[in-house]
Amino acid sequence: MSRKLVIGDLHGGLKALIQLLERVDLTPDDTLIFLGDYVDGWSDSANTVTYLINLARQNSCIFIRGNHDDLAHKWLENGDMNQKWLEHGGQSSIDAYRNFTKEEKEEHISFFKDMFNFYKDEEERLFVHAGFTNLHGPDYEYHETGFYWDRTLWEMVLSMDEKIQPGDLYYPRRLEHFTEIYIGHTPVTRIGMTHPYNKANIWNVDTGAAFKGPISAVDVDTKEVFQSDPVHTFYPDEKGRN
């Protein structure tokens, strides 16, 4: 039976991703939705992108754009960089591309260009790296950077009174457009969680792979959770973003 699996932030943790897909017992019938941030963290950033490109030849894959992907793309294509990016994982990506050929880099640039800012499925579920701010929904967003930089959606839902239900005058309009919203971007480890966390109709699947957490996947129909071992255990001689 085919499944739809949503996978949280990777941050170059290819070894952990391979373990996760083994634990998922992936079949060619499964659809994979990746929520972004494939690079910037561990030393396998460039190798992770190569792996994903090849994986998409076997499985139906949807690649959502993360903020780190946007930054790495700009560096690969135009040489753009800034100190904040270098401090938050960018240097690891620069190092990871040192032995890549021009042709390989061009293939990766195409991969970054072809990503989606968000994806909506037939069950009215939204998949986006960070969030959106327009009360009418992501189709009406004025600035696309919010899709991979926004944190207000997640902060809003965390602070919500659980007594407020859909249809209530005070229920956030942003949440009413979708049955479920799947995001990454802000690790749930910041609120002391180690598994994908659900509040209202939002699922945060970023379990801190860039730091001391695992890579996680959720079956969107059954809500079964799969996880790798903590990513840092695969790279004992590296700091990641710690």
Side-chain angles (χ1 to χ4, degrees):
M1 183 178 177
S2 62
R3 297 171 295 176
K4 184 177 290 184
L5 302 164
V6 58
I7 299 174
D9 301 37
L10 307 180
H11 287 288
L14 177 58
K15 296 174 184 177
L17 174 62
I18 291 172
Q19 183 191 64
L20 173 67
L21 295 181
E22 289 173 350
R23 291 179 174 178
V24 164
D25 195 16
L26 186 67
T27 74
D29 294 327
D30 294 326
T31 295
L32 302 174
I33 303 174
F34 290 89
L35 291 175
D37 278 4
Y38 312 106
V39 298
D40 293 358
W42 306 101
S43 59
D44 273 327
S45 283
N47 293 330
T48 298
V49 174
T50 298
Y51 182 87
L52 293 174
I53 290 170
N54 291 327
L55 181 64
R57 298 187 176 109
Q58 167 190 307
N59 282 80
S60 176
C61 293
I62 296 164
F63 299 111
I64 305 297
R65 178 177 289 105
N67 56 309
H68 286 273
D69 310 316
D70 181 60
L71 292 167
H73 176 200
K74 289 175 179 175
W75 169 73
L76 272 175
E77 190 164 42
N78 304 312
D80 294 350
M81 65 174 72
N82 61 71
Q83 190 60 36
K84 287 294 183 183
W85 176 56
L86 296 177
E87 293 172 358
H88 291 278
Q91 187 62 53
S92 67
S93 290
I94 291 174
D95 294 340
Y97 275 103
R98 291 195 190 281
N99 296 321
F100 271 58
T101 66
K102 180 180 179 181
E103 291 74 20
E104 289 170 326
K105 290 178 180 178
E106 287 295 332
E107 185 179 32
H108 285 208
I109 288 170
S110 295
F111 173 80
F112 287 121
K113 282 182 176 178
D114 291 340
M115 290 177 187
F116 296 96
N117 284 331
F118 62 91
Y119 168 72
K120 297 182 289 186
D121 72 6
E122 60 278 5
E123 272 79 41
E124 293 302 314
R125 292 178 289 217
L126 175 71
F127 303 84
V128 62
H129 179 66
F132 62 97
T133 59
N134 197 296
L135 299 184
H136 300 290
D139 291 316
Y140 297 89
E141 199 78 337
Y142 286 99
H143 304 289
E144 68 174 24
T145 53
F147 296 125
Y148 40 90
W149 280 105
D150 176 69
R151 295 194 198 275
T152 65
L153 185 72
W154 181 236
E155 291 178 341
M156 175 190 70
V157 79
L158 283 180
S159 65
M160 279 177 58
D161 185 339
E162 295 185 3
K163 295 178 182 177
I164 302 174
Q165 295 297 310
D168 190 286
L169 182 63
Y170 293 100
Y171 192 80
R173 298 295 173 259
R174 277 189 281 178
L175 302 183
E176 293 187 324
H177 300 289
F178 303 100
T179 57
E180 293 176 331
I181 301 172
Y182 289 85
I183 65 170
H185 190 47
T186 307
V188 297
T189 49
R190 294 187 182 181
I191 55 172
M193 302 296 173
T194 57
H195 287 72
Y197 185 68
N198 169 230
K199 183 77 184 290
N201 63 341
I202 293 183
W203 283 82
N204 187 333
V205 194
D206 180 357
T207 47
F211 304 99
K212 294 293 182 70
I215 298 173
S216 297
V218 178
D219 183 323
V220 300
D221 293 313
T222 68
K223 301 302 180 286
E224 183 176 4
V225 171
F226 305 87
Q227 293 187 297
S228 70
D229 292 343
V231 180
H232 72 94
T233 62
F234 293 92
Y235 302 92
D237 299 322
E238 300 178 28
K239 292 184 178 180
R241 293 182 58 204
N242 293 293

